[in-house]
Amino acid sequence: MAPLRVGLAGLGTVGGTVARLLLENAALFERRAGRRLDLTRVASRTPKPEVDLGSATFDTDLASLDTGDVDVVVELIGGETAARAVVATAIGGGRHVVTANKALLAAHGDEIFAAANRRGVSVGFEASVAGGIPIVNALRTGLAANRLDAIAGIVNGTSNYILTAMEEEGQDFAAALAEAQRLGYAEADPTFDVEGIDAAQKLAILAALAFDATIDFDGVHVEGISGIDIEDIRYARELGFSIKHLGLARLHDDGVEARVHPALVPESVLISKVSDVMNAVMAHGDAVGPTLYVGPGAGGMPTASAVVADLVELARGTLPVPRAAKRRLPGLGIGGVVCAHYLKIPAIDQPGVFAEVADVLSRHEVSIEAVIQRPQAIRTGDEPWVPIIIVTDEAPETVVRDCVAELANLGGVTGEIARIRVADLSAMMPPS
Ligand code: HSE
């Protein structure tokens, strides 16, 4: 069979690694795919003479991939504008596309899939979610027999790396982020990682696949990890939890609940042990029940592994052409969520303050599950104060929000109250 001719757009961490894999493992891919994967062209606005491109032609003009000797364009430039143009041009020219670009798919997936459907070309995007975990393939193929109703997990490697470094090494946030950047995990703009945007994009892609629908990215509730204090991590641990950055999506009769935020995960749940750059995705199906997938979520090699897997599938003829428009499911927001909460309330160290705090919770019918207040945690200030740590029982999001607003107005409360949700994932996965 004729080789599959690959045009590569972008020579960053992932692009350079894809080129290397294609050259180094060429014989293996030919055996697996039944035909050669030939890297014929590479385009990158920044030349990288140190990267071996074999016999591929190099150009700094991304439009150079729009040519007869390219069957598939691999888009690894990231961002939205230039990437969107590269993908549109490729599809318009009847070329298949493989991309790792979750931002592009979350914002313009509908347009891209519709165009590919009309043109009869395939779009591979395994690398866009959870790097080295073949979760797109699992949802699309392995779980095809299931009605999937929930998906959850850790889908940002950088945030998981930072939270792990804070928890296990007591490292501060900035140092851990700098190391994640050095290792090639972080986005070009790392606020996408630490403010939850990257995870929300990935969750929207996974939910769309799992629920067979178009999911509005703006309907995903987004919170990142930048507000997490090392003290919260320590108290959580004392209470039997790890703090993880989670994405959760559930299918309801009237739409999709989709949210990313930090959460206390009970140590009895396996994903509380998923650390460093590792990602984990749980999917729940009516036939199979709970399933869990774990693997490296970022970095050159894991992401390149997913990109090349799509190329091998394409070469075999099994990478599908996207289907025509899917049903659109509205986002339900976070108002309807019911869960337990961790609260850290800075309070003046004097009689009656705890009683006032308990009274507010009691009037809102929020029950207390656990409390910590340590004499050694008392801090001096104008008046001595101490953090009161409370874990509530399950309560509606809106009620807990009202409670926190009321608590903040108490005379005995001296500063900002930290509120972190507790994730109940027990229905989605077996305990460890
Ligand atoms: N910045 C992303 C992460 C890279 O940290 O997970 C993979 O998408």
Side-chain angles (χ1 to χ4, degrees), residues 102 155-158 185-187 193 198 202 297-298:
K102 57 255 153 177
V155 288
N156 184 263
T158 301
Y185 301 154
E187 295 302 299
D193 296 298
D198 176 85
K202 292 168 177 167

Side-chain angles (χ1 to χ4, degrees), residues 13 158 161 174-191 193:
T13 309
T158 301
Y161 185 89
L177 172 58
E179 184 62 2
Q181 287 177 290
R182 193 188 67 74
L183 292 166
Y185 301 154
E187 295 302 299
D189 177 353
T191 59
D193 296 298

Side-chain angles (χ1 to χ4, degrees), residues 297-376:
M301 268 301 179
T303 313
S305 158
V307 168
V308 177
D310 276 346
L311 290 174
V312 170
E313 235 199 302
L314 180 64
R316 283 175 179 153
T318 52
L319 189 71
V321 173
R323 281 182 294 119
K326 297 186 279 184
R327 61 185 172 150
R328 179 168 285 278
L329 290 177
L332 297 179
I334 197 156
V337 168
V338 177
C339 67
H341 283 77
Y342 162 100
L343 303 176
K344 182 172 64 185
I345 307 161
I348 296 171
D349 185 30
Q350 67 183 26
V353 175
F354 187 86
E356 283 179 22
V357 168
D359 178 56
V360 170
L361 294 172
S362 149
R363 276 190 287 103
H364 285 87
E365 295 186 1
V366 175
S367 173
I368 296 174
E369 167 81 20
V371 180
I372 302 178
Q373 191 199 303
R374 287 272 143 71
Q376 60 270 37

Side-chain angles (χ1 to χ4, degrees), residues 56-113:
T57 307
F58 177 82
D59 205 304
T60 52
D61 182 3
L62 297 171
S64 65
L65 301 178
D66 187 24
T67 175
D69 60 5
V70 170
D71 300 314
V72 52
V73 171
V74 178
E75 183 281 303
L76 298 174
I77 51 183
E80 278 185 42
T81 313
R84 187 179 180 188
V86 164
V87 166
T89 305
I91 293 173
R95 294 183 183 85
H96 308 286
V97 167
V98 169
T99 180
N101 195 329
K102 57 255 153 177
L104 180 68
L105 293 177
H108 305 293
D110 289 355
E111 161 197 309
I112 291 167
F113 294 136

